């Protein structure tokens, strides 16, 4: 009879293969939602700082943020539209900020649904 090693659990409390897969999928889904929220938050910061859009890294982040805003949180036609001075900055900060928060909340909910 062999005994389990120090890093392996024995007994009925050890997680099954299905449980391990569900945990890993939940972690990946959470990571995906966090990355989307990060694109929106950093994109809003770059707009507020008036970063050089000719820079490839800045363009990549802004394009990524435009892709994950789903149209609902768009800078151009989002939840709330500001007018007047600094309207583009206000639109980006408000809409992409709300979008980042929504991604984190929904991501955590989906994570908890998937996780055993």
């Amino acid at each position: 009879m062999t005994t389990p090693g120090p890093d392996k659990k024995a007994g009925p409390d050890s997680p099954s293969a299905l449980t391990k897969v569900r945990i890993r999928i939940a972690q990946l889904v959470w990571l995906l939602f966090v990355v989307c929220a990060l694109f929106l938050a950093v994109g809003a910061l770059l707009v507020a700082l008036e970063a050089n859009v000719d820079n490839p890294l800045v363009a990549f982040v802004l394009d990524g943020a435009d892709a994950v805003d789903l149209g609902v949180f768009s800078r151009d036609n989002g939840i709330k539209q500001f007018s007047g001075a600094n309207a583009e900055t206000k639109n980006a900060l408000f809409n992409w900020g709300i979008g980042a928060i929504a991604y984190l909340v929904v991501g955590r909910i989906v994570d908890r649904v998937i996780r055993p």
Side-chain angles (χ1 to χ4, degrees):
M1 178 179 210
T2 61
T3 58
D7 58 337
K8 294 182 181 178
K9 290 184 179 178
D13 293 335
S14 63
S16 68
L18 179 61
T19 301
K20 290 179 183 179
V21 169
R22 287 179 63 190
I23 290 171
R24 183 65 63 196
I25 290 172
Q27 290 171 340
L28 290 173
V29 167
W30 173 240
L31 179 64
L32 176 69
F33 278 89
V34 167
V35 168
C36 290
L38 189 62
F39 265 101
L40 291 172
V42 172
L45 179 65
L46 291 174
V47 169
L49 295 175
E50 297 177 0
N52 180 9
V53 294
D54 293 331
N55 182 316
L57 183 59
V58 172
F60 173 74
V61 172
L62 292 178
D63 289 343
D66 281 331
V68 299
D69 69 15
L70 303 176
V72 176
F73 305 110
S74 172
R75 288 186 291 172
D76 302 324
N77 191 18
I79 294 174
K80 177 153 178 63
Q81 292 301 307
F82 293 92
S83 60
N86 300 322
E88 183 181 349
T89 302
K90 292 175 185 176
N91 288 336
L93 286 173
F94 183 84
N95 290 315
W96 281 357
I98 296 292
I101 292 169
Y103 266 106
L104 292 175
V105 169
V106 171
R108 184 51 76 184
I109 292 169
V110 172
D111 171 73
R112 293 298 177 192
V113 167
I114 295 172
R115 190 178 297 267

